[in-house]
Every structure is written in C-alpha cells, then in structure tokens.
Amino acid sequence: MPACGTANIFHHHLGGLLGGLGSQFWAGGIGSHLRSLRHCDETQSLHYPQPQICAKGADAEQIYADQCASCHGAQLEGQPDWKTPLPSGRLPAPPHDADGHTWHHPDDILFRIVKEGTAAIVGGGYKSDMPGFAVLSDAEIQAALAYIKSTWPERELTYQENVSQAR
C-alpha cells in the first residue's frame, strides 16, 4: 500500500490548465450502472469502448480501500482543510465524495492522474504528493474510479458524465 503524504487531484484553479490534455480513455454513459458497482467479474461489463471498467475478479471497493483510502479517506472524505496549502505549499488530499471536486474532471484526466500522478499531468514544475499508480492495471484504475463515482449523487454523476462526453 502506498504511503500517504498529502495529495491534490487539482485544486479548482488548475482545471483550466487541463482543458486540452489527454485522449478519451473510457467516456460514455454510465448512469445507474455505477450505482450498483461493488464487485466485478468476467461476466460483468459496463460496455465502455475501451478496456472494461473492472479487472477480472477485481473488487472495486477493495482496490479503493487498498490504494486510495490511506490519503483520501475510507469514506472518501479527504484530508482536513484540503483547500488550504500545507507549509510545504502542497495541498492535502481532496475528498472524492460530492464535497470535493473530483467530479468536475473528465474521465481521461482522472485516469491519467491516477496512472501518472498529478505533477506529471499538470506539468510546469507543479508539486504534488499524489503519486502515479503505474503498478495498477488500467482495469484496476478504472474499477477504483468507478467505485468513487458509484458514491456520487445523480447531479454530480451527470455533470461528470457530461464533462467526459464533451472531450
């Protein structure tokens, strides 16, 4: 399990820097399918145009618990005062629930943040404690993101889906 310092998946003012980044990995309608996603096996798929959302036998909630919760919280609550920079100048880990801003970002950016780390995506010398998780398969990353999305209210889920489709 990765150690946790602090992390930032993009403070609200960084979103504009990312407008043209990335190609769409797995955008598409997910709607109510995410509401019931907790465990996936080879018979379950959300019919994405790219790799399916779950690794064979992967438990999306367990992947989140093992790889993300140490920083972002078991209940997706993030670290306290996540909008206030630490003495290091870096931001604490944001929540992934509806109180955070994860849902403001399209799927391809969320995927790349997890795979490559925030600093690699933002560039320009940006510093973040959010590492890349290249040790996870693409399907495991997609499963963790699907778990996060499965907790969002309909308004946030619809907004994020529309942002992803617009790219």
Side-chain angles (χ1 to χ4, degrees), residues 7-11 14-15 18 21-23 25-26 67-68 72 94 96 101-123 126 128-136 141-142 145 148 160 167:
N8 174 38
I9 289 193
F10 298 120
H11 198 258
L14 293 175
L18 303 172
L21 286 178
S23 62
F25 280 92
W26 42 274
Q67 303 296 327
C68 312
H72 295 282
H96 287 316
H101 58 81
T102 306
W103 56 273
H104 294 187
H105 304 294
D107 288 334
D108 61 320
I109 294 297
L110 295 176
F111 182 92
R112 289 185 62 208
I113 291 167
V114 177
K115 187 78 166 184
E116 301 171 34
T118 304
I121 304 307
V122 175
Y126 182 77
S128 172
D129 290 326
M130 172 66 186
F133 285 82
V135 299
L136 294 176
I141 292 170
Q142 292 169 335
L145 291 170
I148 291 167
Q160 196 275 335
R167 291 183 58 85

Side-chain angles (χ1 to χ4, degrees), residues 52-108:
Q52 72 181 57
I53 194 103
C54 314
K56 182 178 176 182
D59 183 329
E61 187 171 5
Q62 190 62 51
I63 293 168
Y64 177 86
D66 292 346
Q67 303 296 327
C68 312
S70 63
C71 295
H72 295 282
Q75 303 301 311
L76 295 90
E77 71 275 12
Q79 295 177 341
D81 299 320
W82 64 275
K83 293 181 182 179
T84 303
L86 299 166
S88 67
R90 298 176 182 187
L91 293 164
H96 287 316
D97 60 14
D99 293 332
H101 58 81
T102 306
W103 56 273
H104 294 187
H105 304 294
D107 288 334
D108 61 320

